[in-house]
């Protein structure tokens, strides 16, 4: 019965992945900066979801660690493209002025991603240990650096929204509040898993 439930959950995730890809393709066809940023965000969500599913069916610890690394990388690039989307959305024509900062951040993300991807071979970011009903991992210094980059992008997204909301007419503030609330919910869930050691084996960043 439990296996049937897991299979159904995987099926739902795969359907949602397909929808993400479809939305991404439609967005990129608009040929706008916002469309491209939204499309790349959708593609990263789809890839992260697939990697997350694969984590639970891997035959050994090394394969589980590799799938986890791909998941972490996809999540960080998803946050990067979310930040880019919000930057374009809130800055309009002035968004071009932040291009150099995004290039620097992209280079940092590439370096971080390379470190995360070689983790299964050297355990320099996380060390996975099999436990009952899952895997427990020990976090190393480089993992906290990875988390710092993630939260920098989250807080930057929130900052863009708050600044835009403060300078917007009352009628437009609600849409920025909804976007900021969604980001805060994601952060809150992640922080709960980080704070409670008993849930650490389910922590994703």
């Amino acid at each position: 019965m439990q296996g049937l439930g897991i299979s159904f959950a995987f099926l739902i995730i795969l359907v949602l992945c397909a929808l993400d890809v479809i939305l991404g393709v439609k967005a990129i066809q608009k040929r706008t900066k916002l469309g491209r940023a939204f499309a790349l965000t959708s593609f990263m969500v789809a890839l992260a979801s697939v990697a997350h599913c694969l984590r639970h069916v891997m035959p050994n610890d090394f394969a589980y660690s590799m799938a986890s690394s791909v998941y972490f990388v996809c999540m960080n690039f998803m946050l990067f493209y979310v930040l880019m989307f919000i930057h374009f959305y809130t800055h309009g024509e002035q968004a071009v002025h932040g291009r150099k900062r995004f290039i620097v951040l992209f280079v940092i993300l590439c370096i971080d991603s390379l470190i995360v991807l070689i983790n299964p071979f050297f355990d320099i970011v996380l060390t996975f240990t099999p436990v009952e009903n899952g895997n427990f991992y020990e976090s190393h210094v480089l993992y906290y650096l990875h988390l710092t980059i993630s939260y920098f992008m989250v807080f930057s997204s929130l900052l863009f929204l708050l600044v835009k909301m403060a300078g917007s007419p009352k009628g437009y503030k609600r849409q920025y509040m909804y976007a900021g609330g969604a980001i805060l919910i994601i952060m809150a869930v992640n922080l709960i898993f980080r704070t409670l050691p008993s849930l650490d084996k389910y922590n994703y960043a």
Side-chain angles (χ1 to χ4, degrees), residues 24-203:
V25 170
K26 287 184 176 296
I28 210 167
Q29 287 174 345
K30 294 182 179 180
R31 299 182 180 180
T32 63
K33 291 180 180 179
L34 272 175
R36 286 192 293 271
F38 182 85
L40 290 168
T41 300
S42 298
F43 295 152
M44 286 299 110
V45 170
L47 287 173
S49 300
V50 171
H52 175 65
C53 289
L54 290 176
R55 283 156 54 108
H56 298 282
V57 295
M58 286 301 173
N60 54 58
D61 297 340
F62 178 82
Y64 179 90
S65 181
M66 183 60 73
S68 297
S69 293
V70 173
Y71 173 78
F72 293 143
V73 169
C74 290
M75 287 298 292
N76 251 15
F77 276 101
M78 181 204 72
L79 290 174
F80 174 78
Y81 292 121
V82 166
L83 176 60
M84 182 180 291
F85 176 84
I86 292 175
H87 180 65
F88 290 149
Y89 183 65
T90 57
H91 288 71
E93 295 299 325
Q94 297 179 345
V96 68
H97 298 304
R99 183 177 179 183
K100 290 182 179 179
R101 282 172 288 189
F102 274 100
I103 291 174
V104 171
L105 180 56
F106 184 82
V107 171
I108 292 172
L109 273 181
C110 288
I111 296 172
D112 175 68
S113 298
L114 179 61
I115 293 171
V116 171
L117 288 173
I118 65 174
N119 178 71
F121 301 95
F122 304 105
D123 288 340
I124 55 177
V125 180
L126 295 168
T127 299
F128 289 92
T129 304
V131 295
E132 186 178 358
N133 298 323
N135 283 270
F136 179 85
Y137 62 75
E138 178 185 356
S139 306
H140 304 305
V141 174
L142 288 175
Y143 179 66
Y144 292 106
L145 176 61
H146 168 80
L147 277 183
T148 300
I149 296 170
S150 299
Y151 283 114
F152 169 78
M153 291 186 287
V154 171
F155 282 119
S156 297
S157 297
L158 284 173
L159 181 61
F160 286 153
L161 289 170
L162 289 173
V163 171
K164 185 66 176 182
M165 187 173 65
S168 298
K170 187 175 181 180
Y172 289 94
K173 289 185 178 181
R174 185 174 296 178
Q175 59 183 336
Y176 297 115
M177 288 177 59
Y178 289 151
I183 295 174
L184 284 174
I185 290 172
I186 294 172
M187 282 182 56
V189 171
N190 188 273
L191 286 173
I192 289 172
F193 287 126
R194 287 300 303 167
T195 305
L196 299 177
S198 61
L199 298 178
D200 193 48
K201 65 182 179 182
Y202 300 109
N203 175 50

